[in-house]
Amino acid sequence: MVRPASRAALAAAAVTLTLTLTACSSDSSIKRSESGADSDFTTVEYAGKATGPIDSFSWALYAEPSTLDWVHSNTYPQNTVLSNACEGLLRLNPDLSTSPALAESVEQPDGKTYVYKIRSGVKFHDGAPLTAAGYVDSKAYVESKGEGYGSPSGLVDCTGPFELSSWDQGSAITLSAYDGYWDHDLTPKAKQVVFKFYEDASARVTALRTGEIDGNFFITPSGTETLKDTGAGKLYYGKNPTVRSLMTWHLDGPLADPRIRQALSMAIDRQNVIEAAFNGAATPAKSPVSPDAYSYAENVYKAAYDAMPPSDPDIKAAKKLVEEAGAPSEPIVVASSPADPSYNLTALAVQAAGQAIGLHVEIKTLPIQQYNGLFNDKEARKDIDLYSTTWNLDIPDPLEFFGLYAYPGKYNNYNGFDDPEYVKTAQQAMAATDENTRAELTVRLQKQFVDQTLWIPLFNVPVTVFQSNKIAGTPTGISYMAGPWAAYVGAAK
């Protein structure tokens, strides 16, 4: 889950990290296929190249953020905005590499220590300098805003290339270029970015087609069909190290037996959903981490991925597992939302898979705000077993995902998985300084995770981006969740 840093985050970092304080890539086309054959879509790093500055551009969000408080910003709308205003110690670049941001450099002297050298000359949007004392001031700033921090009344104060200038609740969020930004290579080309909220997918597509809005990540499959031939702009695909998966909220109840989870996974016809929900622009997933995340020791990760069994449906084998385990008496509840039609198509496919092997699956449809809010509301998700999501990585490293389950009882370990051997292996991987050793240990975690079907991986889905003819330069990959993507956008001609 991508979370760019604000003052609150920096205050927390000062406590948890050992800090030593002192005073872009070209376009590339990649054919996507898990089998090695060309598939029907091509990814690029940028949607063209900006030719100069622009006064403003507008961008669609599929929902109004519930908060812009960094600590609770764990969905696409929040991070699409915050990634331009707030930044962390490191930055995710459009080519999915990482580079120093607020940390001028980072060293790992041993398996338990990272030393970050904090960049000098950085200022918060209110003019306060980023200093050692600034970490304490950060906490005081957040506390001074109280519950209003990250809200339309309290806003946020960060260090990124754009500052949050207004939030018209129910209508729009406006970012303005920050004149005091420290990184002159990423001085914004646009003076202003306006984010508008369109919960209805058809309304978003209409706004893009008519030129009412200049761009949008997360184009729905039906939207891609409508927009691919429009004269208002162009559709692009970008690399995405995350995977659309069914997340398990609980490891008790109807999904307590791993054989039931495995059987349901084996019965899902992924390719059928890909054709119906993504117009073929996706591939079946075998792991909850995409091969796009293999930023080091690629040969180790790729060999392990290739050795995993195919994700084709096998109803006969799935039925056998259900017979062995015994079908649960209570229904399996999967959440859905009308904000993205692929959620409902996925839920229907899960329901059909369950029916085919003797499992009762119910669909619970939620408004998008409530759907997104399940991450932060344990009570609201207590009766939901499966949740369709793409868990975003801060950096393209499989260990970031599998390491989440190395901490039983912690915030991101939602289903409460607790296995001493898994924890031991994860800790060894985190301490490894050799990349191949780190990868080999992470592959062991992946095998245990997948063998127990702690989540059900579904699809490797590229980022979809629509950009109007007015603008150019939008980074097309998932880096928009953790890097200042709007700083690259400027005039098309």
Side-chain angles (χ1 to χ4, degrees), residues 224-271:
T224 62
E225 281 296 296
T226 302
L227 294 170
K228 68 181 182 181
D229 296 321
T230 183
K234 187 176 178 181
L235 189 68
Y236 298 86
Y237 295 102
K239 292 179 70 175
N240 188 0
T242 65
V243 170
R244 174 71 68 86
S245 297
L246 286 171
M247 179 182 186
T248 57
W249 286 124
H250 323 285
L251 293 180
D252 53 11
L255 295 178
D257 193 315
R259 291 172 293 183
I260 296 298
R261 303 193 296 267
Q262 185 181 2
L264 191 57
S265 177
M266 293 173 67
I268 296 171
D269 189 336
R270 290 165 173 79
Q271 190 59 45

Side-chain angles (χ1 to χ4, degrees), residues 24-28 43-52 54 57-60 80 83-84 93-95 189-190 193 195 208 214-219 234-239 463-481 483-492:
C24 288
S25 174
S26 61
D27 285 358
S28 64
T43 62
V44 296
E45 285 179 18
Y46 299 92
K49 184 176 181 180
T51 60
I54 193 169
F57 69 91
S58 55
W59 205 262
T80 304
S83 59
N84 298 290
N93 301 311
D95 64 355
K189 296 176 175 61
V193 185
F195 294 92
L208 292 166
D214 292 313
N216 182 214
F217 297 110
F218 227 102
I219 308 298
K234 187 176 178 181
L235 189 68
Y236 298 86
Y237 295 102
K239 292 179 70 175
V463 176
T464 49
V465 188
F466 183 83
Q467 178 182 265
S468 78
N469 295 328
K470 168 186 169 183
I471 59 174
T474 305
T476 59
I478 201 64
S479 66
Y480 77 87
M481 294 287 284
W485 63 270
Y488 293 88
V489 180

